[in-house]
Amino acid sequence: MDLESRLQLIKRNAVEIVTEDELVQLLQTKEKPRAYVGYEPSGEIHLGHMMTVQKLIDLQQAGFEIVVLLADVHAYLNEKGNFDEIREIAEFNKKAFIALGLDESKVKFVLGSEYQLERDYVLDVLKMARITTVNRARRSMDEVSRRKDDPMVSQMIYPLMQALDIAHLGVDLAVGGTDQRKIHMLARENLPKLGYKAPVCLHTPILLGLDGQKMSSSKGNYISVRDSTEEVEKKIRKAFCPAQQVENNPIIQVALFHIFPRFGELKVERDEKYGGDVTYKTPDELISDFKSGKLHPLDLKKAVAKYLNKILEGVREKLERG
């Protein structure tokens, strides 16, 4: 794969790359660059997680070595349970990410506790604390903290550790949703002060919940990899999808960020009296027809549910097999 093809794959569905010039230099000078995403172990792997997993798959195809951090210590600091509970969930998460399409032979899964309690790492956390203001640490962790209004001290440590993970895992490219941007910028600014290189950072969009609001486990406004075929169809059918509105439309987002990257097209099956079947080869074609009203929300929902179930069918089978 030539440089331009690799760049197109890496940039697909990314909101921004900080910076693209540094990314080009990385691709030109390092044969096997390393990228990572960190996940707090979560009981439900949903479309939001699948967003960054899809980007990791793109990066694998573009020649990157992939590291997935199962951030058990971060989860503990963020009040997600005790270590035994968190590690059990982390093992399920690992199986889910592989089932979603990550090439197991080209990805390394790491528990945070495997290295984050070592002397050198802890000293680096203390050094990072000496050069980071309380306000900067708080701003960095606001998007990910469970106690945004009244944070614990543990949640101030969280972004410092996340920045240092990039250095201690030998990462060239840090990947995350736009909610990770402030932490990544903290890493770019402060890691060089501790003698480490600044990472290139790639940010993916944050998917809306199916109701058009922020995705939240408490609201249940998401699709999980464990949802049945019938549950997926029901959730998609009830989802927010106003006619001719593309912006902030979760069904359009699923089509653009999950279906097109995996299938390269989206076929809508419908009765002849409603225009007959139509196959969209590009996201732009789909958006054009939806905006103009040629594509009805219900027809789009039926197609999206069918494709999502194609993705999740194999995932469910692999998870059931263990």
Side-chain angles (χ1 to χ4, degrees):
M1 190 181 296
D2 62 27
L3 178 62
E4 188 56 38
S5 298
R6 294 173 76 192
L7 276 173
Q8 287 181 3
L9 193 54
I10 294 165
K11 290 163 61 178
R12 177 170 68 177
N13 289 335
V15 174
E16 68 170 348
I17 295 172
V18 186
T19 67
E20 192 169 330
D21 287 345
E22 292 173 20
L23 173 62
V24 171
Q25 184 179 20
L26 175 63
L27 294 175
Q28 290 174 330
T29 58
K30 194 163 186 178
E31 184 178 349
K32 279 287 183 182
R34 176 176 277 205
Y36 108 116
V37 173
Y39 298 99
E40 278 188 21
S42 166
E44 295 295 346
I45 301 300
H46 51 64
L47 294 182
H49 297 95
M50 287 168 62
M51 186 77 180
T52 44
V53 170
Q54 180 59 52
K55 182 46 59 185
L56 293 180
I57 293 170
D58 288 344
L59 289 165
Q60 280 188 330
Q61 294 173 354
F64 276 77
E65 292 180 350
I66 302 299
V67 177
V68 173
L69 172 62
L70 300 169
D72 56 340
V73 177
H74 284 88
Y76 178 75
L77 292 174
N78 208 15
E79 303 179 281
K80 297 294 179 70
N82 64 46
F83 275 106
D84 288 338
E85 293 167 339
I86 292 166
R87 285 172 185 157
E88 185 176 337
I89 295 169
E91 187 58 34
F92 167 76
N93 287 185
K94 176 181 176 180
K95 293 174 183 176
F97 295 144
I98 293 169
L100 281 165
L102 278 176
D103 184 340
E104 190 173 3
S105 68
K106 298 178 182 177
V107 60
K108 181 180 182 183
F109 288 91
V110 181
L111 277 171
S113 55
E114 291 175 10
Y115 68 93
Q116 289 169 344
L117 306 177
E118 297 293 330
R119 179 180 182 276
D120 288 348
Y121 185 93
V122 173
L123 283 175
D124 272 348
V125 172
L126 299 179
K127 291 175 186 176
M128 183 72 82
R130 287 192 61 184
I131 60 173
T132 307
T133 66
V134 171
N135 285 340
R136 183 68 182 278
R138 180 162 187 165
R139 287 199 310 272
S140 297
M141 66 89 201
D142 270 351
E143 293 288 342
V144 296
S145 171
R146 296 192 74 165
R147 289 175 178 257
K148 187 173 180 178
D149 297 325
D150 186 25
M152 304 298 285
V153 173
S154 64
Q155 289 156 328
M156 295 289 193
I157 299 170
Y158 189 114
L160 310 186
M161 290 177 58
Q162 191 169 333
L164 285 164
D165 291 336
I166 294 168
H168 282 256
L169 291 171
V171 170
D172 302 297
L173 175 68
V175 179
T178 52
D179 58 339
Q180 305 295 316
R181 190 182 194 281
K182 290 178 182 176
I183 293 176
H184 286 168
M185 294 307 102
L186 175 68
R188 281 180 59 84
E189 181 179 329
N190 280 356
L191 283 180
K193 296 176 184 177
L194 300 184
Y196 299 110
K197 65 182 180 182
V200 180
C201 302
L202 184 154
H203 300 127
T204 60
I206 300 296
L207 284 183
L208 290 168
L210 294 174
D211 55 1
Q213 305 300 312
K214 183 177 179 180
M215 195 178 291
S216 167
S217 57
S218 62
K219 292 180 180 178
N221 59 352
Y222 58 85
I223 288 174
S224 162
V225 297
R226 291 194 273 202
D227 284 343
S228 68
T229 299
E230 294 74 23
E231 286 173 320
V232 170
E233 290 172 350
K234 182 180 178 181
K235 287 182 177 182
I236 293 293
R237 189 166 57 248
K238 292 170 60 179
F240 179 73
C241 184
Q244 298 179 266
Q245 179 182 319
V246 171
E247 296 298 321
N248 298 319
N249 184 325
I251 300 302
I252 292 287
Q253 286 189 338
V254 172
L256 299 189
F257 301 139
H258 291 300
I259 294 171
F260 276 105
R262 286 179 181 261
F263 297 97
E265 64 179 28
L266 189 152
K267 182 179 181 180
V268 176
E269 298 172 338
R270 57 191 180 183
D271 196 283
E272 287 295 335
K273 65 181 178 181
Y274 298 124
D277 296 353
V278 58
T279 299
Y280 296 104
K281 296 292 187 182
T282 68
D284 288 343
E285 291 175 4
L286 174 70
I287 288 170
S288 176
D289 268 15
F290 193 80
K291 273 186 174 180
S292 70
K294 291 181 181 177
L295 178 59
H296 192 276
L298 184 57
D299 292 323
L300 176 61
K301 285 182 175 183
K302 288 178 180 177
V304 164
K306 186 173 183 178
Y307 277 94
L308 265 184
N309 275 321
K310 282 184 184 178
I311 296 171
L312 295 178
E313 182 180 10
V315 177
R316 296 183 199 112
E317 289 176 359
K318 290 175 182 176
L319 290 176
E320 285 171 7
R321 290 199 304 265

